Amino acid sequence: MIAQLDKLYADFTAKLSTLSTQSDVLNLKSEYMGKKGPLTEVLKGLKDATPDERQKIGPKANEIKQNIGSDIQAKLDGLEVAEINAKLALDPIDTTITDNVLVNDPKHGGLHPITAIQQEVEDIFLSMGFDILDGPHVEDEFHNFEALNIPADHPARDMQDTFWFHGPEVESGKKALLRTHTSTIQIRGMMSRKPPFKFIAPGKVFRCERTDASHEMVFHQLEGMMVGKDVSVANLIYFMKTLLREIFKTDVEVRLRPGFFPFVEPGFELDIRCLICKGEGCSVCKQTGWVELLPCGMVHPNVLRAGGINSDEYNGFAFGLGLDRLVMMRYGIDDIRHIHGADLRFMRQFGAY
Ligand code: DAH
C-alpha cells in the first residue's frame, strides 16, 4: 500500500505539471481531495493491512494529502503571477519616462492656477483638522450682511459694492444678491454644527467694481473659521503663519495691522512683503511694498449669536484669504485681470492646451 500511495502522488504531480489554467488545477484539486478520490480508494485497502502496516500508512496518507494541498496552492500562485506578468508584457508601464505629458500631448488640459492653489491650501488645512465647506453664489442679505453684523443702514455695506438681484426676494423674504465675500459661509457653517469646530470655505465672490491691476469683479476667497472655548489671537497667528510658510515654502515677511471689519473684534489686516517687487513698490502693492493678503480677527459676539452659538461660552477667529492675490504673489503675476482673461498664452504657462 505504501507503494500505491507513492504512485498516487507521482501520478498527481505528473498531471499537475501539465496543467496551465487555474480552472484545470481546481478540477484536479477536487478530483484528488474529494471523497471519491484515489486517496480514499487506496485507503479502502486499509482493512486488509496488518497492524504494523496500518501504523505506517496513516501518517504517509496524511503527508501525501498535505503535499497535494500545498502543491495545488503553489501551482495556483504561480499561474496568477504568470497571468499578471503576461498582462504587464502586453501593456507595459515605463516608469523611467520623464517627459512631460502636458508638452507631448497637445490635447491635455491643466489645472487653472486658482484651482491648483485652492487645492493646495485645502490640503494644508485638512492636515490641520479643518473641514471644507461650500455655499451658494446667490445669497441673501441676511447671510451676506445682517448676520455678519452689518445692518441695512450700516456704512460698511458700502465697503463692498454689491450686485443686487431685482425681482422676487428669496424664500426668507430677504433681498437676493451675488455674495460679495465667502464670510456668508461662516453663518451657514455655524448653523449646521456644534462647537468646537474649524472649517474653511473656498469660492468665487462678486463685486460691482471698476477693474484695475489689483481689482476684478469676480475673484476668489477662502474663508476660515475656528470656534471653541478660549480660542485666542495666538491661535489665529499660528494657523496663518503655518499656512504662509507651507504655501511659499519659506518664511515670508508679515505684519499685522488693526483692520476694521464689522464681523470681527479686534480685526486685523495681515500683510505680506510684496513678492513681485520685493518690497520696492509696484502696481500690485500700490507702491507700498506690502500686500494685504489675509484680513482676519476674533469673531464678533453678534456674529456668533447670529450663527446660533452661545457667545458667553465660546469664541473664535475667522479669516478671508484672497486666493487671486496669493496666485499673483506665488507666480509673480502683476495684473489680476490675467487670471480670468482667458488668454491662451497665459493659460499655457500652467499646462492648459
Ligand atoms: N469678508 C471680508 C472681505 O471680503 C474679508 C474678511 C475679513 C474675512 C476679516 C474674515 C475676517 O473672515 O475675519 O472683505
Side-chain angles (χ1 to χ4, degrees):
M1 266 182 85
I2 296 278
Q4 269 179 304
L5 285 173
D6 281 336
K7 173 149 188 328
L8 180 151
Y9 184 58
D11 284 352
F12 164 79
T13 35
K15 277 190 196 162
L16 186 65
S17 68
T18 63
L19 302 183
S20 55
T21 69
Q22 299 199 353
S23 64
D24 286 348
V25 176
L26 291 173
N27 284 339
L28 188 70
K29 178 180 177 185
S30 48
E31 181 187 331
Y32 270 80
M33 307 291 260
K35 287 227 165 63
K36 293 188 179 131
L39 196 60
T40 324
E41 280 305 308
V42 174
L43 291 179
K44 276 187 185 156
L46 212 56
K47 58 183 185 326
D48 304 324
T50 64
D52 214 25
E53 269 179 327
R54 279 191 204 172
Q55 263 191 358
K56 289 191 192 127
I57 290 170
K60 179 77 181 177
N62 266 340
E63 182 192 322
I64 285 181
K65 204 171 179 180
Q66 270 176 12
N67 285 350
I68 290 177
S70 55
D71 290 353
I72 296 262
Q73 195 51 51
K75 181 82 179 186
L76 287 174
D77 291 348
L79 286 174
E80 193 179 342
V81 171
E83 195 181 318
I84 292 172
N85 284 340
K87 271 193 197 147
L88 285 175
L90 276 181
D91 186 14
I93 299 168
D94 186 348
T95 54
T96 62
I97 290 178
T98 53
D99 291 2
N100 183 350
V101 282
L102 297 179
V103 175
N104 292 344
D105 175 2
K107 294 185 296 301
H108 221 286
L111 287 183
H112 189 281
I114 292 280
T115 312
I117 217 155
Q118 180 184 317
Q119 291 180 355
E120 232 177 278
V121 177
E122 285 178 3
D123 282 346
I124 295 168
F125 279 104
L126 274 178
S127 76
M128 298 193 286
F130 282 69
D131 293 336
I132 301 181
L133 304 190
D134 201 4
H137 290 170
V138 177
E139 266 291 4
D140 56 48
E141 60 179 344
F142 171 75
H143 290 90
N144 201 89
F145 292 123
E146 283 167 22
L148 288 162
N149 202 27
I150 316 174
D153 51 357
H154 198 288
R157 287 212 181 181
D158 298 339
M159 285 164 72
Q160 303 182 349
D161 294 314
T162 310
F163 286 110
W164 292 95
F165 284 92
H166 297 298
E169 291 157 348
V170 292
E171 281 164 50
S172 55
K174 302 286 176 186
K175 282 202 301 188
L177 48 80
L178 284 176
R179 71 177 178 203
T180 59
H181 51 184
T182 44
S183 302
T184 51
I185 309 171
Q186 286 189 25
I187 307 302
R188 294 183 177 275
M190 282 189 288
M191 285 178 157
S192 60
R193 59 203 61 223
K194 286 202 161 59
F197 55 75
K198 44 191 193 298
F199 59 78
I200 56 165
K204 277 196 172 70
V205 298
F206 309 84
R207 303 259 176 105
C208 185
E209 275 190 354
R210 245 200 152 80
T211 60
D212 62 28
S214 51
H215 293 93
E216 256 291 19
M217 284 192 262
V218 181
F219 55 101
H220 305 81
Q221 291 184 334
L222 187 137
E223 195 79 12
M225 185 176 221
M226 173 172 177
V227 171
K229 287 189 172 158
D230 302 324
V231 176
S232 69
V233 176
N235 296 137
L236 168 64
I237 293 174
Y238 165 78
F239 282 110
M240 300 303 96
K241 280 200 161 169
T242 309
L243 166 70
L244 294 173
R245 189 170 356 97
E246 293 286 324
I247 285 289
F248 291 108
K249 308 284 179 237
T250 167
D251 277 325
V252 193
E253 205 181 331
V254 298
R255 74 176 185 191
L256 206 58
R257 298 181 279 127
F260 173 72
F261 305 95
F263 30 93
V264 280
E265 179 57 39
F268 308 105
E269 288 280 6
L270 195 144
D271 303 337
I272 66 165
R273 181 67 88 182
C274 181
L275 295 171
I276 293 183
C277 60
K278 308 271 179 290
E280 306 252 299
C282 66
S283 61
V284 173
C285 62
K286 299 195 197 93
Q287 315 304 329
T288 63
W290 293 91
V291 177
E292 283 178 16
L293 194 64
L294 252 168
C296 51
M298 302 307 290
V299 183
H300 195 290
N302 287 351
V303 176
L304 288 170
R305 283 194 283 272
I309 289 177
N310 181 346
S311 60
D312 292 329
E313 208 179 333
Y314 296 103
N315 70 342
F317 69 69
F319 60 89
L321 173 67
L323 287 180
D324 304 70
R325 296 242 171 109
L326 200 57
V327 165
M328 292 167 78
M329 290 297 114
R330 161 79 87 71
Y331 297 108
I333 299 166
D334 62 3
D335 192 323
I336 192 173
R337 289 166 294 193
H338 286 312
I339 291 182
H340 284 294
D343 183 336
L344 285 181
R345 289 167 305 174
F346 174 81
M347 299 309 297
R348 281 196 190 105
Q349 299 174 55
F350 300 95
Y353 62 88

